[in-house]
Amino acid sequence: MAREITGFSNPLVKRVRSLREKKFRKAEGLFLAEGLRILTEAREEGVLPEMLFHAGSTHPLAIDLIAAMEAAGGDVIETTPDILSKISGKDNAQAVVGVYRDRLTPLAKLDRSKADIWIVAQSLRDPGNLGTILRTGDAVGAGGLILIDDCVDPFSVESVRASMGALFTQSITQARWGEFMHWLRQGPGELIGTSLNATQDYQEPRYASPSFLLVGNEAQGLPESYEAECDQLVKMPMLGKADSLNAAVACAVMAYELLNQKRAQR
Amino acid sequence: MAREITGFSNPLVKRVRSLREKKFRKAEGLFLAEGLRILTEAREEGVLPEMLFHAGSTHPLAIDLIAAMEAAGGDVIETTPDILSKISGKDNAQAVVGVYRDRLTPLAKLDRSKADIWIVAQSLRDPGNLGTILRTGDAVGAGGLILIDDCVDPFSVESVRASMGALFTQSITQARWGEFMHWLRQGPGELIGTSLNATQDYQEPRYASPSFLLVGNEAQGLPESYEAECDQLVKMPMLGKADSLNAAVACAVMAYELLNQKRAQR
């Protein structure tokens, strides 16, 4: 269905704009993704938005997206650049904005045999870090991201943007620590944590697959009781004055060590 | 000199608050750093602010900072939590705010023999990425960060915050590409770039010291003509759909590869 909206006070515009706030995302089970690059990445994964907003873009990727939406009977809304800016909350609006159904995978439905690496984040607070970790997960061929305890909303605009589309290639699961550990111990899998308290260098162990890489909160790191349940507790060399790396950086350095070990074994 | 300010309209409060904007930082040659952790890191490096604002904190680190300022004859200003919030632009103000003289090291004064790793960033746009790269530089024992072409201001509040104090442990240099290459070729040093166009895996080469790790712009990567001048052009494995990593993440994965090679040689 194709239609046109040119009024700022249109209720749909207001409703879509409200998805910038977590409470409305949660109530509707919907979230926003912006920009041709991210929406095209989603389409290539077979994921189309529920609604597609555009301002008459003639970019070939926009034309492809609109065609795919129309073929699937999706809701395509042509609007003005000003209204697109209003929806996206930015002066320089993207060419397209999509409204997607949220994509949580229940823990019980995760197939751990699908990938050699899984990333587990605990009480992550920064949406940019969360999106960046998804993007790294995609790069190392991880199966998905498991969010433990109170993490920032993975469907926030900032997180979606930082993921650069990896939100659509990585599964996302939310669980409490107890649930997660119960599930983890029902099958194969090594839980790997990084910690200032570790004595073992991160390049020392030979990690077994599937590897579950546990990333802690930006300010506090992992709770000691969580560290105690790790199968491997390791540290990265820190030669300077600082005692820690940015959470997304530490995750990536560790994830590439896992990937490098796994590709050396092949 | 210790003094008290309790008025919102005090000209010094306005002046300090203006340092949140680049044009005023540039005009004054000053920048802001906030929070006990970052200011203490600076003090441990022997760097004290020109002015220290606090709101009567009784935290031992605040007391140490004030004592160090007084011993050095520095300007200590006691103010209200509200004014601290106004200066820092946050509802939840930090306990201390310091005003520092900016810290640029001219290219001609860089001693490349001081470290095995140097990071070079080109047209970096995101202040969080810049600060995170400084933090990673500190962790891998890099000598400093060389900013090429039009990078975001390293002294922005966001960059200082993301650096977690590494702004005070890493030297910062600004240069045009031509100047930098001229300087680089006057002494030992291998220039290492990462690129989608590379055919060589990043773990293949044996990197020579000092290594100059070149990080490109977040959206465009490195210009082809810059890639052509690299001594090593390498790529990281990308197993997913995305074709690139976040710039600060790519820098860290590469920097840890360099560090791992260098520590294996010791």
PDB file of all heavy atoms in Angstrom, chain B residues 33 53 59 66 132 163 174 185 192 197 204 213 218 235:
ATOM      1  N   ALA B  33      38.111  19.290  31.659  1.00  0.00           N
ATOM      2  CA  ALA B  33      38.056  17.857  31.988  1.00  0.00           C
ATOM      3  C   ALA B  33      37.266  17.724  33.280  1.00  0.00           C
ATOM      4  O   ALA B  33      37.348  18.598  34.147  1.00  0.00           O
ATOM      5  CB  ALA B  33      39.455  17.278  32.128  1.00  0.00           C
ATOM      6  N   PHE B  53      37.545  23.707  39.774  1.00  0.00           N
ATOM      7  CA  PHE B  53      36.250  24.008  40.383  1.00  0.00           C
ATOM      8  C   PHE B  53      35.773  22.796  41.188  1.00  0.00           C
ATOM      9  O   PHE B  53      35.822  21.669  40.701  1.00  0.00           O
ATOM     10  CB  PHE B  53      35.201  24.303  39.299  1.00  0.00           C
ATOM     11  CG  PHE B  53      35.407  25.626  38.614  1.00  0.00           C
ATOM     12  CD1 PHE B  53      36.348  25.751  37.601  1.00  0.00           C
ATOM     13  CD2 PHE B  53      34.663  26.743  38.969  1.00  0.00           C
ATOM     14  CE1 PHE B  53      36.563  26.971  36.966  1.00  0.00           C
ATOM     15  CE2 PHE B  53      34.860  27.966  38.338  1.00  0.00           C
ATOM     16  CZ  PHE B  53      35.816  28.080  37.339  1.00  0.00           C
ATOM     17  N   HIS B  59      35.612  13.952  49.194  1.00  0.00           N
ATOM     18  CA  HIS B  59      36.243  12.733  48.690  1.00  0.00           C
ATOM     19  C   HIS B  59      37.760  12.871  48.810  1.00  0.00           C
ATOM     20  O   HIS B  59      38.312  13.926  48.488  1.00  0.00           O
ATOM     21  CB  HIS B  59      35.843  12.530  47.218  1.00  0.00           C
ATOM     22  CG  HIS B  59      36.181  11.172  46.698  1.00  0.00           C
ATOM     23  ND1 HIS B  59      37.477  10.758  46.485  1.00  0.00           N
ATOM     24  CD2 HIS B  59      35.401  10.126  46.337  1.00  0.00           C
ATOM     25  CE1 HIS B  59      37.471   9.520  46.016  1.00  0.00           C
ATOM     26  NE2 HIS B  59      36.209   9.113  45.920  1.00  0.00           N
ATOM     27  N   ILE B  66      42.948  19.319  45.562  1.00  0.00           N
ATOM     28  CA  ILE B  66      42.946  20.697  46.061  1.00  0.00           C
ATOM     29  C   ILE B  66      44.287  21.006  46.730  1.00  0.00           C
ATOM     30  O   ILE B  66      44.884  22.070  46.505  1.00  0.00           O
ATOM     31  CB  ILE B  66      41.751  20.894  47.027  1.00  0.00           C
ATOM     32  CG1 ILE B  66      40.435  20.804  46.244  1.00  0.00           C
ATOM     33  CG2 ILE B  66      41.848  22.239  47.750  1.00  0.00           C
ATOM     34  CD1 ILE B  66      39.192  20.641  47.109  1.00  0.00           C
ATOM     35  N   THR B 132      38.290   7.150  22.627  1.00  0.00           N
ATOM     36  CA  THR B 132      38.477   5.708  22.807  1.00  0.00           C
ATOM     37  C   THR B 132      39.814   5.263  22.217  1.00  0.00           C
ATOM     38  O   THR B 132      40.505   4.406  22.781  1.00  0.00           O
ATOM     39  CB  THR B 132      37.303   4.955  22.152  1.00  0.00           C
ATOM     40  OG1 THR B 132      36.092   5.396  22.756  1.00  0.00           O
ATOM     41  CG2 THR B 132      37.435   3.455  22.333  1.00  0.00           C
ATOM     42  N   SER B 163      38.305   9.373  26.604  1.00  0.00           N
ATOM     43  CA  SER B 163      39.722   8.989  26.762  1.00  0.00           C
ATOM     44  C   SER B 163      40.006   8.476  28.167  1.00  0.00           C
ATOM     45  O   SER B 163      41.039   7.850  28.396  1.00  0.00           O
ATOM     46  CB  SER B 163      40.643  10.173  26.462  1.00  0.00           C
ATOM     47  OG  SER B 163      40.819  11.001  27.610  1.00  0.00           O
ATOM     48  N   GLN B 174      48.911  17.491  15.664  1.00  0.00           N
ATOM     49  CA  GLN B 174      48.074  17.714  14.475  1.00  0.00           C
ATOM     50  C   GLN B 174      48.984  18.023  13.297  1.00  0.00           C
ATOM     51  O   GLN B 174      49.940  18.793  13.441  1.00  0.00           O
ATOM     52  CB  GLN B 174      47.111  18.880  14.721  1.00  0.00           C
ATOM     53  CG  GLN B 174      45.989  18.499  15.701  1.00  0.00           C
ATOM     54  CD  GLN B 174      45.044  19.646  16.033  1.00  0.00           C
ATOM     55  OE1 GLN B 174      45.456  20.800  16.070  1.00  0.00           O
ATOM     56  NE2 GLN B 174      43.787  19.314  16.299  1.00  0.00           N
ATOM     57  N   ARG B 185      59.273   9.822   6.875  1.00  0.00           N
ATOM     58  CA  ARG B 185      60.322   9.219   6.043  1.00  0.00           C
ATOM     59  C   ARG B 185      61.716   9.708   6.391  1.00  0.00           C
ATOM     60  O   ARG B 185      62.695   9.257   5.801  1.00  0.00           O
ATOM     61  CB  ARG B 185      60.021   9.486   4.558  1.00  0.00           C
ATOM     62  CG  ARG B 185      58.718   8.833   4.056  1.00  0.00           C
ATOM     63  CD  ARG B 185      58.621   7.372   4.429  1.00  0.00           C
ATOM     64  NE  ARG B 185      57.407   6.707   3.892  1.00  0.00           N
ATOM     65  CZ  ARG B 185      56.914   5.576   4.375  1.00  0.00           C
ATOM     66  NH1 ARG B 185      57.480   4.971   5.413  1.00  0.00           N
ATOM     67  NH2 ARG B 185      55.833   5.029   3.836  1.00  0.00           N
ATOM     68  N   ILE B 192      51.290   1.452   8.627  1.00  0.00           N
ATOM     69  CA  ILE B 192      50.398   0.299   8.484  1.00  0.00           C
ATOM     70  C   ILE B 192      48.964   0.789   8.339  1.00  0.00           C
ATOM     71  O   ILE B 192      48.441   1.451   9.233  1.00  0.00           O
ATOM     72  CB  ILE B 192      50.505  -0.608   9.729  1.00  0.00           C
ATOM     73  CG1 ILE B 192      51.956  -1.051   9.929  1.00  0.00           C
ATOM     74  CG2 ILE B 192      49.567  -1.803   9.612  1.00  0.00           C
ATOM     75  CD1 ILE B 192      52.282  -1.384  11.363  1.00  0.00           C
ATOM     76  N   ASN B 197      40.522  -2.980   0.499  1.00  0.00           N
ATOM     77  CA  ASN B 197      41.199  -3.319  -0.751  1.00  0.00           C
ATOM     78  C   ASN B 197      42.414  -4.217  -0.533  1.00  0.00           C
ATOM     79  O   ASN B 197      43.019  -4.677  -1.495  1.00  0.00           O
ATOM     80  CB  ASN B 197      41.685  -2.041  -1.453  1.00  0.00           C
ATOM     81  CG  ASN B 197      40.557  -1.045  -1.648  1.00  0.00           C
ATOM     82  OD1 ASN B 197      39.443  -1.439  -1.969  1.00  0.00           O
ATOM     83  ND2 ASN B 197      40.844   0.241  -1.449  1.00  0.00           N
ATOM     84  N   GLU B 204      49.431 -11.692   8.981  1.00  0.00           N
ATOM     85  CA  GLU B 204      50.513 -12.216   8.141  1.00  0.00           C
ATOM     86  C   GLU B 204      51.856 -11.487   8.306  1.00  0.00           C
ATOM     87  O   GLU B 204      52.866 -12.139   8.508  1.00  0.00           O
ATOM     88  CB  GLU B 204      50.092 -12.134   6.668  1.00  0.00           C
ATOM     89  CG  GLU B 204      49.589 -13.457   6.106  1.00  0.00           C
ATOM     90  CD  GLU B 204      49.126 -13.279   4.654  1.00  0.00           C
ATOM     91  OE1 GLU B 204      49.956 -12.904   3.805  1.00  0.00           O
ATOM     92  OE2 GLU B 204      47.928 -13.482   4.416  1.00  0.00           O
ATOM     93  N   LEU B 213      50.335   3.122  13.065  1.00  0.00           N
ATOM     94  CA  LEU B 213      49.055   2.518  12.697  1.00  0.00           C
ATOM     95  C   LEU B 213      48.103   3.613  12.219  1.00  0.00           C
ATOM     96  O   LEU B 213      47.749   4.508  12.979  1.00  0.00           O
ATOM     97  CB  LEU B 213      48.489   1.794  13.916  1.00  0.00           C
ATOM     98  CG  LEU B 213      47.060   1.300  13.860  1.00  0.00           C
ATOM     99  CD1 LEU B 213      46.814   0.454  12.630  1.00  0.00           C
ATOM    100  CD2 LEU B 213      46.736   0.508  15.121  1.00  0.00           C
ATOM    101  N   GLU B 218      35.615   7.404   9.591  1.00  0.00           N
ATOM    102  CA  GLU B 218      34.578   6.419   9.920  1.00  0.00           C
ATOM    103  C   GLU B 218      33.756   5.980   8.704  1.00  0.00           C
ATOM    104  O   GLU B 218      33.419   4.813   8.580  1.00  0.00           O
ATOM    105  CB  GLU B 218      33.609   6.982  10.971  1.00  0.00           C
ATOM    106  CG  GLU B 218      34.175   7.095  12.368  1.00  0.00           C
ATOM    107  CD  GLU B 218      34.798   8.463  12.644  1.00  0.00           C
ATOM    108  OE1 GLU B 218      35.090   9.189  11.670  1.00  0.00           O
ATOM    109  OE2 GLU B 218      35.006   8.785  13.807  1.00  0.00           O
ATOM    110  N   LYS B 235      44.105  -6.401   5.980  1.00  0.00           N
ATOM    111  CA  LYS B 235      42.675  -6.428   6.290  1.00  0.00           C
ATOM    112  C   LYS B 235      42.404  -7.414   7.416  1.00  0.00           C
ATOM    113  O   LYS B 235      43.118  -8.406   7.580  1.00  0.00           O
ATOM    114  CB  LYS B 235      41.876  -6.803   5.048  1.00  0.00           C
ATOM    115  CG  LYS B 235      42.191  -8.182   4.544  1.00  0.00           C
ATOM    116  CD  LYS B 235      41.281  -8.604   3.415  1.00  0.00           C
ATOM    117  CE  LYS B 235      41.713 -10.011   2.974  1.00  0.00           C
ATOM    118  NZ  LYS B 235      40.990 -10.479   1.814  1.00  0.00           N
TER     119      LYS B 235
END
